[in-house]
Amino acid sequence: MNNNKNTAELILDTAQGLVQEVGFNGFSYAHIAEKIGIRTASIHYHFPNKEDLAEALIARYNREFVAKIAEIDSETTNNLDKIRRYMMIFSIPVDTYCTCLSVMLSSDLATLTEKVREKLAAFFTANLTWVERVLEQGRSEGHLQFKGTAQAQAHKILTSLQGAQLLARTFRDANRFNMIAEGVISALS
Amino acid sequence: MNNNKNTAELILDTAQGLVQEVGFNGFSYAHIAEKIGIRTASIHYHFPNKEDLAEALIARYNREFVAKIAEIDSETTNNLDKIRRYMMIFSIPVDTYCTCLSVMLSSDLATLTEKVREKLAAFFTANLTWVERVLEQGRSEGHLQFKGTAQAQAHKILTSLQGAQLLARTFRDANRFNMIAEGVISALS
DNA sequence: TGTATTCTACCTTTTAGTAGGTAAAGAGTC
DNA sequence: GACTCTTTACCTACTAAAAGGTAGAATACA
């Protein structure tokens, strides 16, 4: 029960890195096993099949996201700063020319189960509701401005960040991401 | 030489559909072969290996894109209409909850060759330069407005359309895409 | 006749997974 | 404290199927 958690987490860490690099269909249990120096059978012990692994990955990702936005909320009240810090979450994978887990799973969606699709949709909903709330609050307090509904604006922000990751990776140029992120900020202020 | 072209095109059509649905690592030659009623060896005759297929796909995609924007340019001079028609290209795969070839290949980039990456980057550059030019022209003529450089704005438009496809597919809801597309248009006018 | 295209029949490697064994750690009993 | 008994976590060894590809024969076309 105690060492269990360590190996399982190690498997998830490695798997997440692989998904973000090569996609869910671009690696096998053998790749994970080799990276962490165990046998594939040991991975099957923790995650009987690859779908279990996908579910565990998105569940953990969701938990971590909720913790991160809670941290942002607790550390700043400035809504523009909140958006800035939110966008920084998306900039982390860009440095290694990867994309975040959710973008990769979205691409591979057709080969995953309905349960994974639902959890992924729930993750995006959590993103959108939070951004929407921050935008609405920022506008009502007068230091954020944008046209249209907060909902449409939140959708635009989330999707440009997702696309920005893909573009930066294709051009192998993190500046492409930064240009878009700065564009989002300057449009709001 | 004459029927060759037909089979090769049929293979490309089928492969493109599969890439857009399940990604480049989500299907095999056997899937293509079964769909069009030939043997896998016949596919190897036209495209010796899967990388050749990837290159042919992106090359054809690029050619078709160039033709499409030439058509748009020839049929309208209104720059907002041009953007509207450009965005319609992206909305086509959304109806079947797919994403365009370039988004899928971007995701699978790490498992593809450098040549494919370069061709994909060239495709995005063609997109960006065209959108940028339309935006610049529209602003100077006074019927388009946006903050910052046309370059940054073009990046934002392209990436939100890419992300919008992923989001619409995950939610299985084409309206998510439409909401974003309308947001782009209303922000410009 | 010759060339282009497609086929059958292989092959090797990888993938995803199962069966069953083992060493170590804990819990309960005497 | 030594004795089982069970659980946990990992292993070896195996399997069936699929992926990616080759060699060479058969067929169609010009």
Side-chain angles (χ1 to χ4, degrees), chain A residues 8 32 48 69 93 95 97 109 117 129 132 138 155 181 185:
Chain A
I32 305 174
I69 54 167
D95 297 325
Y97 305 128
L109 208 65
R117 205 212 99 230
T129 359
E132 208 178 309
H155 275 71
I185 289 296

Side-chain angles (χ1 to χ4, degrees), chain A residues 64-84:
Chain A
E64 287 175 355
F65 172 73
V66 170
K68 272 181 203 159
I69 54 167
E71 197 189 309
I72 295 177
D73 279 332
S74 75
E75 290 181 4
T76 178
T77 50
N78 181 314
N79 290 298
L80 192 61
D81 268 349
K82 284 188 183 188
I83 297 292
R84 240 192 285 265

Side-chain angles (χ1 to χ4, degrees), chain B residues 100-114:
Chain B
C100 63
L101 186 77
S102 53
V103 170
M104 291 307 259
L105 290 183
S106 281
S107 300
D108 295 327
L109 209 63
T111 57
L112 300 167
T113 58
E114 182 62 15

Side-chain angles (χ1 to χ4, degrees), chain B residues 1 4 7 42 45-46:
Chain B
M1 198 61 146
N4 170 10
T7 306
S42 308
Y45 171 76
H46 294 281

